[in-house]
Amino acid sequence: MAQHGYDSGRLNLPFTGIATFAKAPYTPDWRVLDADVAVLGAPFDFGTQYRPGARFGPRAVREASTLFSFGHAGAYDHEDDATYLGPDVRIVDMGDADIVHTDTETSHANIAAGVAAALDAGALPVVIGGDHSVNIPCIRAFAGRGPIHVVQIDAHLDFVDVRHGVRHGHGNPMRRAAEQDHVTGLTQLGIRNVSSTAKDGYDAARAMGSDILSVRQVRRLGTQAVLDRIPPGATVYLTLDIDGFCPSIAPGTGTPSHGGFLYYEVLELLQGIARRHPVAGIDLVEVAPDYDPTGSTGILAAQVLLNFLGFIFHAR
Amino acid sequence: MAQHGYDSGRLNLPFTGIATFAKAPYTPDWRVLDADVAVLGAPFDFGTQYRPGARFGPRAVREASTLFSFGHAGAYDHEDDATYLGPDVRIVDMGDADIVHTDTETSHANIAAGVAAALDAGALPVVIGGDHSVNIPCIRAFAGRGPIHVVQIDAHLDFVDVRHGVRHGHGNPMRRAAEQDHVTGLTQLGIRNVSSTAKDGYDAARAMGSDILSVRQVRRLGTQAVLDRIPPGATVYLTLDIDGFCPSIAPGTGTPSHGGFLYYEVLELLQGIARRHPVAGIDLVEVAPDYDPTGSTGILAAQVLLNFLGFIFHAR
Amino acid sequence: MAQHGYDSGRLNLPFTGIATFAKAPYTPDWRVLDADVAVLGAPFDFGTQYRPGARFGPRAVREASTLFSFGHAGAYDHEDDATYLGPDVRIVDMGDADIVHTDTETSHANIAAGVAAALDAGALPVVIGGDHSVNIPCIRAFAGRGPIHVVQIDAHLDFVDVRHGVRHGHGNPMRRAAEQDHVTGLTQLGIRNVSSTAKDGYDAARAMGSDILSVRQVRRLGTQAVLDRIPPGATVYLTLDIDGFCPSIAPGTGTPSHGGFLYYEVLELLQGIARRHPVAGIDLVEVAPDYDPTGSTGILAAQVLLNFLGFIFHAR
Amino acid sequence: MAQHGYDSGRLNLPFTGIATFAKAPYTPDWRVLDADVAVLGAPFDFGTQYRPGARFGPRAVREASTLFSFGHAGAYDHEDDATYLGPDVRIVDMGDADIVHTDTETSHANIAAGVAAALDAGALPVVIGGDHSVNIPCIRAFAGRGPIHVVQIDAHLDFVDVRHGVRHGHGNPMRRAAEQDHVTGLTQLGIRNVSSTAKDGYDAARAMGSDILSVRQVRRLGTQAVLDRIPPGATVYLTLDIDGFCPSIAPGTGTPSHGGFLYYEVLELLQGIARRHPVAGIDLVEVAPDYDPTGSTGILAAQVLLNFLGFIFHAR
Amino acid sequence: MAQHGYDSGRLNLPFTGIATFAKAPYTPDWRVLDADVAVLGAPFDFGTQYRPGARFGPRAVREASTLFSFGHAGAYDHEDDATYLGPDVRIVDMGDADIVHTDTETSHANIAAGVAAALDAGALPVVIGGDHSVNIPCIRAFAGRGPIHVVQIDAHLDFVDVRHGVRHGHGNPMRRAAEQDHVTGLTQLGIRNVSSTAKDGYDAARAMGSDILSVRQVRRLGTQAVLDRIPPGATVYLTLDIDGFCPSIAPGTGTPSHGGFLYYEVLELLQGIARRHPVAGIDLVEVAPDYDPTGSTGILAAQVLLNFLGFIFHAR
Amino acid sequence: MAQHGYDSGRLNLPFTGIATFAKAPYTPDWRVLDADVAVLGAPFDFGTQYRPGARFGPRAVREASTLFSFGHAGAYDHEDDATYLGPDVRIVDMGDADIVHTDTETSHANIAAGVAAALDAGALPVVIGGDHSVNIPCIRAFAGRGPIHVVQIDAHLDFVDVRHGVRHGHGNPMRRAAEQDHVTGLTQLGIRNVSSTAKDGYDAARAMGSDILSVRQVRRLGTQAVLDRIPPGATVYLTLDIDGFCPSIAPGTGTPSHGGFLYYEVLELLQGIARRHPVAGIDLVEVAPDYDPTGSTGILAAQVLLNFLGFIFHAR
């Protein structure tokens, strides 16, 4: 039976050790990935329209993830009376995609290559951004591996087509996703207040099949009703912009928007998704540690990711 | 038809440009104001009783307001399916009232002069503090232009008469307002926990006609019932102390008090006020950016102000 | 009749003066304590497993407590229409227990001696940590003075028996408490997500009589039902780990966990306890000001402590 | 022979205990002062012209002073092979002067009263500001107890007479000092770059007998030659504006100016003054902890004050 | 004769007013520039290789520049007994070049257009970055207006030709400058320690005519000898990377390097240049306020720029 | 011939990738170490007497070291015209020693085991603290592998024998070193101002053969004369407490002391040591990132370590 890590020599407290994601093994050689989950950093932030710094998101989320790494043989949750992420779930940290300053297209291509490597290895790709534009190469990597339904948790619709020539900034990813053949639809949750997407973007999103719900609309509907709006049987790709959360718990992001989701609102949605849908991929973006002096945002990102991974593999 | 700003040459992202409020034109000459809304900074903070720094509130709120300035032709809100603050609403930034260190009375007089200039020009004055004592000259400027009913959102009653000779500190403004002939009443919302106002202040406020509600009382009543307590037909002046909000979203203030309002609670009250009442003036005070390392408080102030302005002119 | 402090010469604003707790008299000689409440700092943090710094918790909470010290003759609360902590409640600040670096046992013994001194003087001991391991000597000091029922508000169960030889770290206190003869039971509230306690710790806690409730379980039950689960007539000892609260209001702590209690949830529980039970002792732990750049966490700790003390002596 | 503090029961590490200055006894009753040195906080900052926050200077410097409080029987300095501040030098902390918000004159009067109390008790007054305007009441308290020669270490001349009615702001103190009969002259060291004092202020200062030297001029002259310019036999009052130092070591101040003094430059000047002159009083002003996230500025203030006090009593 | 600003109605303290550079008039319409100095923000930072955030450099330097804006009729310097930047020197703030996220080339072109507009108006262009890549369009704008000699103050040589396709990142500008026909040579001062330029870059720089000196080499030579190495009669363009300074005074930058210049070392070089050479243009880059919590770096940038401008126009 | 890293596929900018020291390979299995340099984290900080947080020193220094990792084939230094740390110098990162909270002795033993493993593998051990007490197990690991001469750079003598039972705190390491048979002597540089070591500690150090020099004494002697005082031919072990540096460049440490070394002062001493002595081991301690908001201290630590390693292997 699975042994606790601290029974085999090291106590391995959270503050010790190299900060890979969840202290998982670091696997820089992507040709030999052998894992259930492959975590990839995508430290790209030239796509931001206000505060930069999401390039340090991967390092911050990795560091925060060590808080949840007590070396147990899985994470026991007394509310669910379940043990998540036991030793049978093999996580590896791929390190980061190579980013080339001033060059958006090359950087994005490198991210796509990393996601493709994870998929080729049969692992669930988990990409830590970086700004939300890194979702563009993530979705692109699923070409020929779909269909997928994109569930987005975000303050902003990110549905700008092209403006001043920009097609691959952090205001564009959902438009780019909706254009893909292998994307069957979008559920866009948490959308609120003004952003770079103007009215025509909302019109286009709805025309292209998006289901758009604000935080208050999600609250009025309730978790179950929201889950029911996701097409049954669909394979879900989750893109989680940390600014979908309320700035009270996620201030460390480039474009915060008040009125966002609280922790359990998102957690219970994700638990529902994990129970009802296969999950093909995940990206979590826009953690900008320079605006997170308490570390609260990085901890939120790590806590949500680890719980979602737990739910997914518990459901498998 | 109104054109998006970015269609005429500049993309004008939030992080570019001089930080006037909402990137509105800067109009230092108050004799030529020609606008619907005139924003005035009141960087005075000698009236604080704990942490200083509200003098940098105007600059911080202006900077934060650029996040909401994407150059659209108005702000489309998908929840309301409405476009707010279109090009027909002309906003100008008056800059700041002149503040004289060590001299409360002169500084206050300069603030009053700015508000009067806005009123003379027929513009809605929006004053960004500064500590809450700046409300005193704001209300004073309405003398002869009333009557007004003051709606206060705040953690503290601010109803101290005079103590150790102080009549114009940030614990006194509501008492000073209640004394004015042109003020017909006060609705004081969010009041909670201990502050510089003692029991006799509460007694005096009630005797002078105040309606005092705590956060929990507002929650129990509900938005509609609270709105119903504001005298129908009254012209409203809103004074919004940022510490009326919960420190989770508004930590950057001099005297935070836990248990405050969340974002939508205030937003929906303001939307209700805008629908039911003429609004004659606004001040938003006590943003102290030195205690706001994430920028969350400044962003809240800007987001609330811009939404409230949107509601007001949508209702007109 | 009791006079306001500011009527006797000093205005004594929060930002002035030596920062003892609530600006209470400093009584370094523990042999002459004569008070209803005796506040002791326990600046020990070698028991932490992630971020350190709780050693500066006592200074931070004392500093924050000055915000609530306006020199009134008691704190008037308009919601309860009650005046709390009038001049009849005598509070003293004992200063800090002596802490010896690298030496857990001696440091803990010094804390126990301080609590014993307060108890010997007939005062209610209020200990400000320090990490949660300081609860171990606090409980130990009650030996021969029980029985007590421990109510814990915390994110973490802290029920590790011994691991790698560690019995007195901040993951162990509730196990140590449960082992004491003078402790009749534990009510553990707010427990959630993974921590250093593994499944066997939960099993042990339940076997030893703990009542464990998560934040969501507390919410579903409601305040009244939770209060009903505390054994009637029991003398309560409260141990409040600040990370029981949501990181949105308590980010300044070593091991934050999202999904915690909001302010009124805890306040109303404490008010209920004060009404229904004698309270024998209090510790408030894990405030780490290095992670609290806005001061929000220290202010929360001070606000909760002062309100709870008000409730306790109002009920007496 | 003098015993180390830690030999008598408490180790008393810097991070423990109530933060009075140098952990000296707190003596709130100024009528019973019995000490060689009396430390008074003057948390007044309405006189600042840029960044506020010097009101928290006294608390910050007190906290930092605990770093130098290891409980030895005096501070041994191996460079001088001397033991400073042995148990024969009795220091007390008077707490703070009472400050009245919005009211400069009353606040200043309270500071003057504190300094007078220290002088009446025969103690050396050490005032911790607050902004530099607190020097005005300090100097005023010496009326009838002079003559004194003021040595100022500062980036700014602070010699504005009156502007917009302001006579008691932080740009005015040296002008106010020079006007006093009991002030025989000023030595103004470190003055550099633009400030609120215009050319006419410099002309006036020179006309009134000031000796003005920039940092570079002090460096070119050398410590000895600078000391030689202070009138032999004069009783010195030192006013040390922390912004006299380079922002590299003193960033935490309201109006930093690059190009300031380094640590030993000031220390050696102070050591020379202590050797050659009686010192009648000291103020150290403009520490603004909100701009001192590393604590470096507060530590500098404490380290300089404690060393200067050591030099003074070593020379007596 | 020129009147002080505060004599004409407003005291205009540093903390009041819209933060344009030196509170100069804001001139968004570049077709009507009429000034001696035209300040342009270039908030571009996609060219950085480590910490981002220089996009907020222009706003930070503008804010800091208000500290030096006391409204005098020029800045009197007692060391030089000279008044700099009197009312005869007309400064305007052009606002920012338009930056397009993800698009380096368009952003750079917009910067070049702004510099060209300033030059067309006969004004001295002063560009505030942004990362050092913004120097590339600045130099480009001088095509046909040369020849110029570039003096660079920097920790890094920035002489990478092309790597992974990148030609316009912040490691490339000096190579790009050296390639221009209108650039006659480079003096590169402060260069030290490892950076993105490898040995071949140094070889190339020397081959293309660069004079490279480290901080220690500059110190050994002395200011005068360094000045003598700049070709006599050359028209100088100054590019000042804030990381040329020591991190003790300039921590707020993307790629700090210890061992940099102190304040007077640079100031005296600039004063020498202003006395001996016509100055055709200036850029000051790499101020990243997110890493400048004390504001020290922004203040340094503003203080250096204002002094250099003072020297230049004093020499004219 | 050695190829630049970025020629083989990845640009590998500093902000990308897992933060091992200098992006060296991570080698968690200490039995298979095969390297010239083995870097070990020692995240222990229960030995501190003021501000904690050195436990995060290893992660901070590793992160900062990535700034110097541009993927060149060695680091070219134009001042020395030398290429340091070419591909022939093989560095590995061992990760961290296992730390057990509340247990000093076990934690220290684990550190000693790591150093021993590096020595057994023939690698130069480089230990990153952690507080200065981690030097105790480092020196202990050299038992039987000496003799070594310890060169200490530090503000504090750290020569307390035993006080209140503490023998292994951060005030004790040099006393513990001096007691070892395999330590032939100590050179203690930078020692200044008061600390936990009292006069008797200085006397003991001198009696046990220490050469103690303050910063000013080192400056007066000059680098060469200081180097001459280190016994010729001695094998040197360097222990570098970051607080030996001036707080202007190293504020991020637990017990800062003004008046410390500047960058080149230490660098040139280290270069001299590398040229004249074999170096057997290195520890760099007391980096506390919570007090280093600009990152300047971590960058200093990384820059000094990488340069010293370059000097050592260049000299071999």
Side-chain angles (χ1 to χ4, degrees), chain A residues 10 15-18, chain F residues 30 40-43 58-59 62 94-98:
Chain A
R10 278 181 72 96
F15 66 78
T16 66
I18 299 294
Chain F
W30 299 352
L40 175 72
R59 286 193 185 155
R62 284 180 177 117
M94 300 170 67
D96 288 352
D98 196 46

Side-chain angles (χ1 to χ4, degrees), chain A residues 292-294, chain B residues 51 290-294, chain C residues 251-252 288-297, chain D residues 290:
Chain A
D292 193 34
T294 68
Chain B
R51 310 192 298 196
D290 292 341
Y291 300 97
D292 193 34
T294 68
Chain C
D290 292 342
Y291 299 97
D292 193 34
T294 69
S296 162
T297 314
Chain D
D290 291 342

